[in-house]
């Protein structure tokens, strides 16, 4: 998944998946996976039962806002089902060609949740505009009673999912679905009250557009965050240049290059880099120092560092034959396919 340099002269893979104590706190589980599944299952039951009833009432009352709420609840239910499936798949151990296991199924789930919100929101926006132009009759009283019941159901479902581990993008996706649905029901209740008190039928379509705006906001956020992970972007809150400079500033380190920082799955950042150590330096001590820094300050417990000694002019080493990089003009290429900026001690351009 990440761009790894697999030549391991003095290299090491950090397998310690404990939690970093630094600013990027890594992957923290406040509850167990079984507890997550239990809370999600309770929320799923609440939503599914109410959704079925709401579709019937929405058709009888002629309310697009209720039907849009029910459609949104359908995506809620789907998001929870995907979350439950992804939890089971991501828990499977790594084997065969899946060297990270199936941990990214939860990111696929989050992206599917985001796309369904965007697609469903587009259809509802079209229907709402049609009803603004030519509003049908709406049973405001029935719409109001259903919306108030929906608020109660969504408060309960939101509370259930808030008890699960929201550091998972997968669970956070399901949580955002339910939370947006709660706001949507509040909007629908207000619209229903307006219909009852004033007979202004277009309030139903306006409430639907409010729901659509919330769906677009949540959907875009999920697609953006999951897309960053699939594109191997640095985790949010991590600055690769700053981290590269920090590593390059450690004792005995001459240069850091081929530094890659990505996310395996929610809350699991990973890093790989090629480290050049000054001639005669203790490369093993340098590697341990860098891994400790990454763990403590940044919460990166999955770090692959290829550590090599810097060759000197006339050195007999065949692995690296480069001059001390006092200037970029003096340094020769020392990687077949180097990626990204080079980090060295002291001020420099990236």
């Amino acid at each position: 998944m990440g761009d790894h340099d697999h030549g391991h002269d003095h290299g090491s893979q950090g397998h310690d998946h404990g939690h970093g104590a630094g600013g990027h706190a890594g992957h923290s589980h406040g509850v167990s996976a079984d507890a997550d599944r239990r809370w999600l299952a309770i929320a799923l039951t609440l939503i599914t039962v109410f959704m079925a009833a709401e579709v019937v009432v929405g058709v009888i009352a002629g309310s697009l806002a209720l039907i849009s709420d029910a459609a949104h609840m359908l995506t809620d239910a789907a998001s929870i089902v995907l979350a439950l499936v992804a939890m089971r798949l991501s828990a499977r151990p790594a084997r065969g060609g899946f060297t990270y296991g199936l941990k990214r199924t939860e990111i696929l789930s989050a992206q599917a949740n985001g796309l369904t919100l965007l697609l469903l929101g587009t259809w509802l926006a079209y229907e709402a505009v049609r009803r603004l132009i030519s509003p049908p009759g709406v049973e405001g009283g029935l719409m109001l009673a259903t919306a108030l019941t929906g608020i109660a159901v969504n408060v309960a479902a939101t509370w259930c999912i808030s008890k699960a581990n929201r550091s998972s993008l997968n669970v956070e996706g399901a949580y955002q679905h339910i939370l947006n649905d709660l706001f949507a029901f509040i909007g629908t209740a207000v619209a229903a009250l307006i219909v009852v008190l004033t007979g202004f039928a277009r309030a139903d379509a306006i409430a639907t557009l409010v729901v659509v705006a919330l769906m677009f906001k949540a959907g875009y956020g999920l697609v953006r965050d999951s897309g960053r992970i699939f594109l191997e972007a640095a985790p949010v809150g991590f600055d690769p240049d700053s981290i590269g400079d920090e590593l390059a500033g450690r004792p005995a380190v001459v240069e850091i290059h081929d530094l890659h920082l990505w996310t395996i799955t929610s809350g699991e950042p990973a890093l790989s880099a090629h480290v050049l150590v000054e001639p005669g330096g203790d490369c093993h001590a340098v590697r341990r120092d860098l891994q400790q820094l990454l763990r403590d300050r940044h919460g990166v417990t999955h770090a692959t560092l290829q550590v090599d000694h810097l060759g000197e002019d006339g050195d007999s080493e065949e692995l690296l034959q480069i001059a001390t990089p006092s200037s970029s003009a003096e340094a020769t290429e020392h990687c077949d396919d180097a990626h990204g900026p080079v980090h060295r001690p002291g001020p420099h351009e990236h």
Side-chain angles (χ1 to χ4, degrees):
M1 294 203 180
D3 291 319
H4 294 278
D5 186 345
H6 290 291
H8 289 285
D9 180 29
H10 305 302
S12 172
Q13 174 64 54
H15 290 291
D16 178 8
H17 291 281
H19 306 306
H24 305 288
H27 199 169
S28 172
H29 289 281
V31 290
S32 69
D34 287 339
D36 280 347
R37 286 192 285 268
R38 184 171 63 252
W39 287 116
L40 288 172
I42 294 171
L44 177 62
T45 302
L46 287 171
I47 287 168
T48 303
V49 171
F50 181 76
M51 177 187 64
E54 188 180 20
V55 171
V56 175
V57 175
V59 172
I60 295 173
S63 169
L64 180 63
L66 285 181
I67 294 174
S68 69
D69 285 336
H72 195 179
M73 292 193 86
L74 177 61
T75 66
D76 296 343
S79 72
I80 295 175
V81 170
L82 283 172
L84 290 168
V85 171
M87 278 181 180
R88 291 200 174 276
L89 290 176
S90 63
R92 292 183 178 179
R95 61 166 63 95
F98 294 92
T99 57
Y100 281 127
L102 296 174
K103 292 184 177 182
R104 281 202 175 168
T105 52
E106 76 156 76
I107 309 304
L108 283 171
S109 170
Q111 190 164 75
N113 287 337
L115 289 172
T116 56
L117 282 170
L118 293 175
L119 293 173
L120 193 55
T122 301
W123 175 73
L124 289 172
Y126 169 76
E127 286 296 322
V129 170
R130 277 204 325 129
R131 289 197 171 208
L132 275 176
I133 297 171
S134 179
V138 178
E139 289 287 339
L142 195 55
M143 178 180 170
L144 178 60
T146 307
L148 292 174
T149 305
I151 290 173
V153 170
N154 273 269
V155 165
T158 301
W159 180 81
C160 287
I161 295 187
S162 72
K163 303 289 286 183
N165 175 31
R166 285 178 54 206
S167 70
S168 162
L169 186 61
N170 188 34
V171 175
E172 179 65 15
Y175 178 79
Q176 287 298 329
H177 268 269
I178 307 297
L179 187 63
N180 286 328
D181 212 23
L182 173 60
F183 296 148
F185 271 110
I186 293 173
T188 301
V190 172
L193 190 60
I194 292 173
V195 172
V196 170
L197 296 178
T198 68
F200 182 61
R202 284 185 173 87
D204 178 65
I206 293 172
T208 302
L209 290 175
V210 172
V211 176
V212 166
L214 293 170
M215 293 171 75
F216 281 156
K217 180 178 182 294
Y220 169 75
L222 288 170
V223 171
R224 178 197 61 210
D225 292 346
S226 59
R228 283 183 61 86
I229 292 176
F230 285 130
L231 291 174
E232 306 287 6
V236 175
F238 287 76
D239 182 352
D241 285 337
S242 175
I243 293 175
D245 289 346
E246 196 174 357
L247 297 178
R250 303 300 290 180
V253 176
V254 175
E255 179 178 297
I256 302 287
H257 61 268
D258 274 2
L259 186 149
H260 301 284
L261 184 60
W262 71 100
T263 303
I264 297 171
T265 189
S266 296
E268 290 191 30
L271 179 146
S272 67
H274 194 172
V275 182
L276 296 184
V277 178
E278 62 187 19
D282 186 341
C283 58
H284 296 292
V286 168
R287 174 184 55 76
R288 288 192 295 268
D289 174 57
L290 297 184
Q291 288 188 318
Q292 188 67 39
L293 182 150
L294 290 169
R295 181 181 299 110
D296 292 346
R297 293 191 187 178
H298 302 285
V300 178
T301 58
H302 193 104
T304 302
L305 301 176
Q306 178 184 339
V307 185
D308 293 305
H309 283 108
L310 180 69
E312 297 179 326
D313 291 336
D315 196 329
S316 60
E317 289 187 67
E318 295 182 1
L319 176 63
L320 292 171
Q321 289 293 333
I322 64 175
T324 302
S326 57
S327 70
S328 58
E330 294 178 7
T332 58
E333 190 63 62
H334 43 79
C335 281
D336 292 337
D337 187 18
H339 300 278
V342 174
H343 303 271
R344 297 181 183 127
H348 59 276
E349 292 184 1
H350 292 127

